[in-house]
Amino acid sequence: MNRREFGKMGVEAALASTWLHAAAQDVGGANKVRFSFMLWALEKQAPFDQCVEWVAEAGYQGVELVGEFQSWSPAQRAATMARMRSLGMVFDAMSGVKTGFAVPNQTEAFRTQFTEQMRAAKDLECPKIILLSGKRVDGLNAGVQRQTSIDTLKWAAEKAAKEQIDIVIEPIDLLENPIIYLASVTDGFEIVRAVNSPNVKVLYDFYHEQRSFGNLIEKLEKNIDWVGLVHVADVPGRHEPGKGEIDYGSICRKLAELNYSHWMAMEYYPTEGPVTSLKKSRMEAQRALGQS
């Protein structure tokens, strides 16, 4: 299916009432975790439109983006939103700000890009923006980058709050990005506590944290109030939960015990048919969360 066909299929849904979006933004009364897929992990297998169809068919409610929307025309955005509504899907989170929040000489560039990102988020009815720290600056005192992070995120938090947008910062493991500044959730939690804004939290990516540091559940327990999103993939290989060394059953049971009520986004390379794989991962997580 090409984008023109994708848009035609969603024309009628363009006039759909806003109740669907409002319901999608509401977390739900029983602290139920909703499921999303970070789409880049599928996009090597098929075009964007087909990937969205797969995620919907597998029973997910959300899709996460890494900047795909930046090349869309206004007409393409409108057609995509119409189709998402017709599928009962939302964009629950999006990244795409290329400049890091921790790099002192890039603050103005960050502010410009973040402002543009918020406009895109509003257009796509996406309530959450994922931010990365940017590179570690050699020769610069680590305290300087920490303070830059805090100051920049305080500015972003104020701007985002006016638009009813949440922010999550994502640590990336040093095996994947050896020059990244923010590499652990431990440092991430320290930063968001210092920012102290209700709309700035940490994206706890269990895959990244396991690769460099491990001890996943203890850090989850100590910082659950500052976790705004979780990402799931197994180590090694970034495949389905259960294919590697991470005990996702225990993690899901702990999330349920801690009343985690945000999204759970799968971000892995399927080792079998995408719909079969995604559906299985969702259902296993739901069982462990006590939601089946």
Side-chain angles (χ1 to χ4, degrees), residues 16-43:
S17 63
T18 58
W19 70 267
L20 179 61
H21 174 64
Q25 303 309 313
D26 180 33
V27 169
N31 288 332
K32 292 191 72 172
V33 174
R34 289 169 296 162
F35 292 86
S36 179
F37 198 92
M38 180 58 90
L39 215 63
W40 72 264
L42 284 179
E43 288 179 328

Side-chain angles (χ1 to χ4, degrees), residues 9-181:
M9 292 178 68
V11 168
E12 293 182 1
L15 300 177
S17 63
T18 58
W19 70 267
L20 179 61
H21 174 64
Q25 303 309 313
D26 180 33
V27 169
N31 288 332
K32 292 191 72 172
V33 174
R34 289 169 296 162
F35 292 86
S36 179
F37 198 92
M38 180 58 90
L39 215 63
W40 72 264
L42 284 179
E43 288 179 328
K44 290 183 179 180
Q45 297 192 33
F48 176 90
D49 307 347
Q50 180 61 69
C51 293
V52 171
E53 297 278 347
W54 284 339
V55 175
E57 187 178 348
Y60 289 61
Q61 301 101 331
V63 165
E64 295 187 354
L65 303 173
V66 294
E68 296 93 334
F69 54 88
Q70 292 171 344
S71 64
W72 296 349
S73 68
Q76 288 173 327
R77 289 190 183 192
T80 299
M81 287 304 300
R83 184 56 179 152
M84 290 288 286
R85 290 192 186 98
S86 74
L87 292 169
M89 299 274 285
V90 298
F91 294 119
D92 64 287
M94 59 194 292
S95 65
V97 177
K98 293 180 173 60
T99 304
F101 57 76
V103 186
N105 65 358
Q106 296 181 358
T107 299
E108 288 306 314
F110 172 88
R111 290 185 175 190
T112 297
Q113 292 175 22
F114 183 77
T115 300
E116 293 172 353
Q117 185 87 354
M118 285 196 297
R119 292 194 195 102
K122 297 297 286 185
D123 287 346
L124 298 176
E125 300 178 0
C126 178
K128 198 180 300 286
I129 290 175
I130 300 168
L131 295 176
L132 300 179
S133 67
K135 67 180 180 180
R136 184 177 62 254
V137 181
D138 292 336
L140 189 65
N141 187 296
V144 174
Q145 290 204 256
R146 184 179 186 279
Q147 192 59 50
T148 298
S149 299
I150 294 166
D151 294 342
T152 302
L153 290 169
K154 282 184 176 181
W155 174 89
E158 181 179 354
K159 301 298 181 184
K162 293 176 182 178
E163 302 294 340
Q164 297 183 308
I165 289 173
D166 290 333
I167 295 167
V168 287
I169 63 173
E170 181 176 16
I172 304 293
D173 71 84
L174 294 173
L175 293 172
E176 179 164 312
N177 188 338
I179 64 171
I180 195 81
Y181 169 70

Side-chain angles (χ1 to χ4, degrees), residues 35-39 41 60 64 230-233 241 264-268 278 281-282 285:
F35 292 86
S36 179
F37 198 92
M38 180 58 90
L39 215 63
Y60 289 61
E64 295 187 354
V230 297
H231 276 187
V232 169
M264 174 178 288
M266 304 291 172
E267 189 181 15
Y268 67 76
L278 269 63
S281 294
R282 174 185 59 79

Side-chain angles (χ1 to χ4, degrees), residues 217-233:
I217 289 179
E218 182 176 349
K219 284 175 282 192
L220 186 64
E221 286 181 305
K222 289 181 177 179
N223 300 285
I224 189 62
D225 290 341
W226 294 100
V227 176
L229 177 63
V230 297
H231 276 187
V232 169

